[in-house]
């Protein structure tokens, strides 16, 4: 958000997320003193909604909309289009991907004294997986990076298998922060290039 031009900051920003991205945008908006509308699915756990409100300030509005991420994202896109708010995408944005990639830096720093064979990364829209895999493969190409998805929301798994971005007909909501029907085009490109494989897990796992 700090990279946005002043004109965008003055109009405000909009984001859609059921998890950490929403909290980050809220805190950034508070520090930058700009308006932010955070769209979250109606089923978002109250602990996450309250965390966003706690990180934000008077200029941050939490708007609960839709039954899943994709429906809430539709509302965010409407606000971008009609109100001129700057979209802060939760995963398909190069700055967001780069920021999430710093997790890879932290992991390798903590493991500097012993070898790392593989890193497993939770995947929803693919931002964190793409960022970590891209960074790790530049500095430690021998370390394998695997994405982990809920079996009923495995959009990256399906897309990599198909060789193109595919939209799932439906997604489960148990892993609400990673329940995305359509992954990002940029996250797909990076994951296709750098990720070694995908793993799916059920809700019991």
């Amino acid at each position: 958000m700090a990279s946005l031009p002043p004109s965008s900051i003055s109009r405000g920003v909009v984001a859609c997320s059921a998890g950490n991205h929403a909290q980050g945008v809220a805190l950034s908006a508070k520090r930058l003193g700009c308006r932010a509308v955070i769209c979250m699915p109606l089923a978002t756990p109250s602990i996450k909604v309250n965390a966003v409100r706690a990180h934000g300030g008077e200029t941050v509005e939490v708007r609960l909309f839709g039954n899943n991420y994709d429906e809430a994202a539709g509302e965010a896109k409407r606000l971008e289009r009609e109100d001129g708010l700057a979209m802060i995408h939760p995963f398909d944005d190069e700055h967001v991907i780069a920021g999430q990639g710093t997790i890879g830096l932290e992991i390798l720093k903590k493991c500097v004294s012993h070898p790392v064979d593989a890193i497993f990364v939770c995947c929803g829209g693919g931002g964190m997986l793409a960022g970590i895999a891209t960074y790790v493969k530049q500095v430690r190409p021998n370390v394998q990076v695997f994405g982990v998805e809920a079996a009923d929301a495995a959009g990256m798994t399906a897309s990599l298998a198909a060789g193109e971005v595919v939209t799932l007909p439906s997604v489960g909501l148990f892993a609400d922060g990673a329940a995305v029907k359509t992954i990002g085009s940029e996250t797909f490109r990076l994951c296709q290039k750098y990720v070694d494989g995908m793993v799916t897990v059920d809700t019991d796992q």
Side-chain angles (χ1 to χ4, degrees), residues 108 117 133 135-145 194 196:
L108 295 185
D117 295 319
Y135 175 80
V136 168
K137 291 299 182 177
Q138 307 311 306
V139 298
R140 296 277 291 277
N142 59 309
V143 175
Q144 291 187 301
V145 180
Y194 295 116
D196 293 286

Side-chain angles (χ1 to χ4, degrees), residues 7-23:
S7 58
S8 294
I9 292 295
S10 64
R11 287 194 301 271
V13 302
V14 62
C16 177
S17 169
N20 296 331
H21 180 72
Q23 297 177 51

Side-chain angles (χ1 to χ4, degrees), residues 35 41 44 54 60 63 68 79 84 88 94 112-113 119 129 139 158 162 174 185:
R35 177 193 177 202
T44 303
V60 176
R63 184 170 298 187
N68 52 48
L79 292 171
I88 309 299
E94 60 182 14
V112 69
S113 62
I119 298 173
L129 176 59
V139 298
F174 183 80
S185 57

Side-chain angles (χ1 to χ4, degrees), residues 75-113:
E75 173 67 2
K77 290 175 183 176
R78 185 189 68 79
L79 292 171
E80 176 189 26
R81 183 176 63 253
E82 296 181 5
D83 292 4
L85 301 179
M87 176 68 75
I88 309 299
H89 202 281
F91 51 83
D92 208 29
D93 178 281
E94 60 182 14
H95 290 98
V96 172
I97 293 171
Q100 293 175 327
T102 62
I103 299 171
L105 169 64
E106 293 178 17
I107 292 171
L108 295 185
K109 274 188 173 182
K110 284 186 175 292
C111 301
V112 69
S113 62

Side-chain angles (χ1 to χ4, degrees), residues 28 92 147 182:
S28 296
D92 208 29
T182 308

